[in-house]
Amino acid sequence: MPSTTLRAFTRPALAALCAAAALGLTACGPFGSSGGVEETGPFAGLSGPQIANKAIKATKTADSLTLDANLQMSDGPVKAFMALDTKGKCAGTISMGPTGTAELIRTGKVAYMRFDEAFLREQNQGGSPEETEAVLKMLKGRWVKTDVTDPEAKDSLEMCELDTMLAEFETGINSAQRGEETTVNGKKALILTEKDGDATYKIYVATEGEPYLLKIEQKGGEEPGTMSFLDYNKPVPAKQPAAKDILDLKELGEQ
């Protein structure tokens, strides 16, 4: 049950987040020069596509960041708040569907996950009341420990790979339009707007320091949502849980 639960939860969540990471940014074809050019203000002399591609390239050089996502996917809502870095360290929470939340921590070669009661009950649907209570007794409030080299945990722990997520970003935007300046989480930003069918995307690019992506919004279309990118290049607050709260999958399997 525990290993299956890890995979059943995090693999679809990773797929959903990675698919939404670009929020249409990869679907616009080869690099172009449309999007308007401003000779003054942020990114003077650059068109919308040039700014967007510049932001994507800068974001892919980040050593760490925090992702704050609120997405409406085809199979239900996905919410995540996850700090992660290029070394595989991560800490945060993610939920899929109307109920069920998991916490995930990875430190070094060890990872931990903790599931709330709603998620555990959902995963055990179809089981007997006795089985459900046994699962709750074993897992509720406890962190499931696993070695990051365990093949059973590989898919789950891709959620902690910043390089994996950023690999979804591609350059090649050819119709982003320059918009107004604004502020995102206290940082000055330029808004770029992109349309793709029924969906409208707003891309917020930092205008001070590195031109990182600060936020991407999709309105309309099949899978609207918002992803914010915070705390670039800051240490990931991943700490090992208290020993009394840890359930070791390896030890459990040997019993």
Side-chain angles (χ1 to χ4, degrees):
M1 162 67 182
S3 294
T4 303
T5 298
L6 284 169
R7 295 195 306 277
F9 185 81
T10 56
R11 184 59 182 175
L14 176 67
L17 289 171
C18 285
L23 284 178
L25 296 184
T26 64
C28 303
F31 182 86
S33 60
S34 60
V37 174
E38 292 288 341
E39 297 302 330
T40 59
F43 307 111
L46 296 183
S47 67
Q50 289 172 326
I51 298 168
N53 290 326
K54 186 179 181 71
I56 292 169
K57 289 179 180 179
T59 298
K60 292 174 76 171
T61 68
D63 293 325
S64 65
L65 59 79
T66 296
L67 171 69
D68 186 1
N70 192 338
L71 312 168
Q72 184 61 50
M73 310 305 293
S74 58
D75 54 355
V78 176
K79 293 183 179 182
F81 190 85
M82 184 74 65
L84 61 164
D85 65 19
T86 55
K87 297 179 180 179
K89 184 183 291 186
C90 71
T93 62
I94 184 166
S95 62
M96 292 185 67
T99 60
T101 298
E103 298 169 80
L104 175 61
I105 296 173
R106 174 175 168 173
T107 58
K109 298 181 178 180
V110 181
Y112 309 88
M113 288 196 76
R114 182 166 64 179
F115 306 95
D116 67 5
E117 181 173 343
F119 178 79
L120 292 173
R121 288 188 179 277
E122 172 111 4
Q123 283 294 299
N124 207 52
Q125 279 187 355
S128 68
E130 291 77 16
E131 289 174 336
T132 299
E133 290 307 311
V135 168
L136 290 173
K137 182 177 180 181
M138 179 174 64
L139 295 178
K140 183 179 177 182
R142 304 186 72 184
W143 292 91
V144 179
K145 177 183 177 181
T146 185
D147 193 303
V148 298
T149 62
D150 185 346
E152 293 285 335
K154 181 180 178 181
D155 287 346
S156 304
L157 296 178
E158 286 184 7
M159 183 68 67
C160 289
E161 299 289 347
L162 179 59
D163 287 340
T164 298
M165 187 188 76
L166 294 183
E168 297 297 321
F169 290 88
E170 298 290 345
T171 57
I173 299 170
N174 69 353
S175 59
Q177 300 292 318
R178 294 180 61 119
E180 62 185 7
E181 296 177 53
T182 188
T183 302
V184 177
N185 297 315
K187 297 184 179 299
K188 293 182 179 180
L190 179 69
I191 302 175
L192 304 176
T193 302
E194 176 104 15
K195 289 189 67 68
D196 183 15
D198 295 334
T200 298
Y201 305 94
K202 284 189 175 182
I203 307 160
Y204 297 76
V205 180
T207 59
E208 296 181 340
E210 291 293 326
Y212 291 132
L213 292 171
L214 298 180
K215 185 167 68 171
I216 304 172
E217 294 179 337
Q218 176 184 338
K219 292 186 177 181
E222 295 182 356
E223 297 180 338
T226 300
M227 296 183 75
S228 296
F229 304 90
L230 316 167
D231 297 333
Y232 277 94
N233 301 314
K234 291 186 177 181
V236 174
K239 297 181 180 180
Q240 178 180 324
K244 65 181 179 62
D245 298 326
I246 296 174
L247 176 65
D248 192 320
L249 285 181
K250 185 176 181 180
E251 293 180 0
L252 187 66
E254 293 173 350
Q255 294 177 1

